[in-house]
Amino acid sequence: MTTATPAGKARVVSGMRPTGPLHLGHLVGALGNWVPLQDTYDCYYFVADWHALTSDYANTSNLTAFAYEMAADWIAAGLDPEKSTLFVQSLVPEHAELYLLLSMVVPVPWLERVPTYKEQQENLKDKDLSSIGFLGYPLLQTADVALYDARFVPVGDDQVAHLELARESVRRFNNFFGDVLVEPQPLLSKFSRLPGLDGDKKMSKSLGNTIHLSESAEDVRKKVRSMYTDPKRVRADIPGTVEGNPVFIYHDAFNPNVDEVNDLKERYRAGKVGDVEVKTKLANALNAHLEPIREKRAQVLANPNTVRDILHEGSRRARAVAIETMERVRDAVKITYR
Ligand code: TRP
């Protein structure tokens, strides 16, 4: 069983669904974790377009546009196609083959017990999520990582249950067919969750409380100006609460000037600073952070074929690995016709 690549680096695999433009929550959570791993691991990052279909099957018209945009955002935020393999799940059909074989041995109740299954059905009442595809979401995710012998899977804490299902499924598969697949370990991001602009505990597209990576400097300023802060503080001379205040959580996440942040916090607690100053400094820090990303994004999108070529080339590389794994898996299952 191979757990390391020819270069001796352990492999890391992670994916993201193409559901719209990336926002600061993705930057702090997933990408903030993915980018630094590129130097230490053999990283495979993919567009999970089939996973997007599990809930968005009724309207697929934006799927490929979202996929290209997301990959442009990845590269703009620091994923380097020279270091990492960036690819598209559906361009490597072996993901489906491994998922099918896993589905032979994984009991349906294991999937019904994954907490996100019922949660999402509750949360997305407007969608019919009683499909096999939606039930199988975490098992497809298992195939995604097992196909590449991934040792580590960088994810946010919302994905821990999926990784647990992946580990159990791999173990059960190996019990039947021998030691053929690698059990993946989650690599949790430090900063898993960024609150929304409205103070909701999560920044998310469906809640409309996001700042996109591609947002203009002016829109960033506008959105920051309307951010939720301490609601008890109706005047600048009333002492405010810093803890759990989204404006300060963003300062901590994005403002590299620690002295400035500490000074603002001190004066905020003492009722000696207005929201306008706190927010102006936050908008400046965010724009300083986003400016190089905007530039890189524009550069990547200047040639309309660049992202497509990167994804096709990455998918070709990924597929070569996937084909080898599937040969090994078919041998183990004893369905080889030579
Ligand atoms: N479920 C993940 C999410 O919503 C996306 C995903 C699909 C993924 N396949 C994966 C993440 C494999 C890590 C590994 O964020």
Side-chain angles (χ1 to χ4, degrees):
M1 184 173 29
T2 41
T3 54
T5 59
K9 289 179 177 170
R11 197 168 277 143
V12 155
V13 175
S14 198
M16 226 185 258
R17 284 169 299 144
T19 50
L22 297 190
H23 53 65
L24 294 180
H26 295 111
L27 198 57
V28 161
L31 281 171
N33 205 1
W34 290 12
V35 171
L37 292 171
Q38 297 182 107
D39 294 315
T40 326
Y41 295 100
D42 182 29
C43 296
Y44 279 58
Y45 297 128
F46 69 95
V47 177
D49 54 351
W50 281 338
H51 275 101
L53 282 181
T54 62
S55 50
D56 296 346
Y57 57 83
N59 180 5
T60 58
S61 47
N62 289 325
L63 194 66
T64 54
F66 282 162
Y68 288 134
E69 254 186 67
M70 184 169 80
D73 279 338
W74 284 357
I75 297 163
L79 290 192
D80 180 349
E82 301 284 319
K83 291 183 188 165
S84 301
T85 301
L86 309 181
F87 71 100
V88 177
Q89 183 184 38
S90 69
L91 290 178
V92 185
E94 285 71 19
H95 287 246
E97 185 182 357
L98 185 54
Y99 167 67
L100 180 86
L101 292 179
L102 286 164
S103 80
M104 303 301 167
V105 301
V106 173
V108 170
W110 285 18
L111 290 161
E112 288 171 334
R113 274 201 300 268
V114 174
T116 46
Y117 180 60
K118 291 216 169 66
E119 267 164 40
Q120 293 287 79
Q121 286 187 328
E122 284 295 310
N123 294 345
L124 306 174
K125 278 248 161 62
D126 55 323
K127 293 176 181 162
D128 180 356
L129 299 181
S130 62
S131 59
I132 294 174
F134 188 69
L135 178 68
Y137 185 112
L139 196 60
L140 179 57
Q141 192 166 344
T142 306
D144 292 339
V145 296
L147 194 53
Y148 302 96
D149 297 328
R151 288 265 295 283
F152 301 109
V153 183
V155 285
D157 55 4
D158 60 324
Q159 296 293 310
V160 170
H162 291 176
L163 260 291
E164 200 44 46
L165 184 278
R167 293 163 58 73
E168 282 168 0
S169 301
V170 161
R171 243 178 272 148
R172 189 165 161 91
F173 194 83
N174 286 350
N175 276 337
F176 283 103
F177 302 116
D179 203 10
V180 64
L181 297 176
V182 175
E183 264 184 55
Q185 304 275 357
L187 268 187
L188 289 185
S189 24
K190 277 194 281 308
F191 241 119
S192 284
R193 210 163 280 186
L194 194 69
L197 295 171
D198 57 356
D200 193 282
K201 63 181 184 305
K202 195 174 172 200
M203 180 175 279
S204 114
K205 185 187 77 151
S206 55
L207 299 170
N209 58 11
T210 63
I211 290 180
H212 299 147
L213 302 193
S214 52
E215 210 95 53
S216 71
E218 189 42 42
D219 286 346
V220 169
R221 274 191 289 273
K222 262 192 221 145
K223 286 191 168 181
V224 168
R225 236 180 278 141
S226 69
M227 266 181 85
Y228 176 93
T229 54
D230 181 347
K232 295 187 300 303
R233 212 166 159 272
V234 289
R235 282 196 329 262
D237 58 356
I238 298 175
T241 306
V242 164
E243 286 67 33
N245 187 328
V247 175
F248 284 101
I249 294 176
Y250 287 25
H251 263 297
D252 283 335
F254 296 104
N255 190 342
N257 186 343
V258 178
D259 291 340
E260 178 175 279
V261 176
N262 285 339
D263 167 64
L264 289 173
K265 285 180 180 173
E266 216 168 280
R267 288 193 288 135
Y268 196 83
R269 288 193 181 102
K272 290 205 160 75
V273 65
D275 277 2
V276 174
E277 183 182 342
V278 179
K279 287 180 168 177
T280 304
K281 287 185 168 152
L282 175 59
N284 291 344
L286 282 175
N287 277 325
H289 196 95
L290 290 176
E291 190 48 33
I293 298 179
R294 282 184 204 116
E295 271 170 34
K296 180 81 189 170
R297 194 173 193 279
Q299 200 186 317
V300 170
L301 291 176
N303 181 344
N305 291 330
T306 304
V307 175
R308 208 195 63 209
D309 291 350
I310 288 169
L311 290 177
H312 276 278
E313 170 57 21
S315 301
R316 204 187 49 71
R317 281 204 321 251
R319 190 157 192 214
V321 177
I323 284 172
E324 272 187 33
T325 307
M326 285 320 296
E327 278 170 11
R328 205 174 76 217
V329 170
R330 281 189 225 112
D331 280 348
V333 180
K334 301 195 170 56
I335 44 168
T336 354
Y337 296 87
R338 281 200 263 266

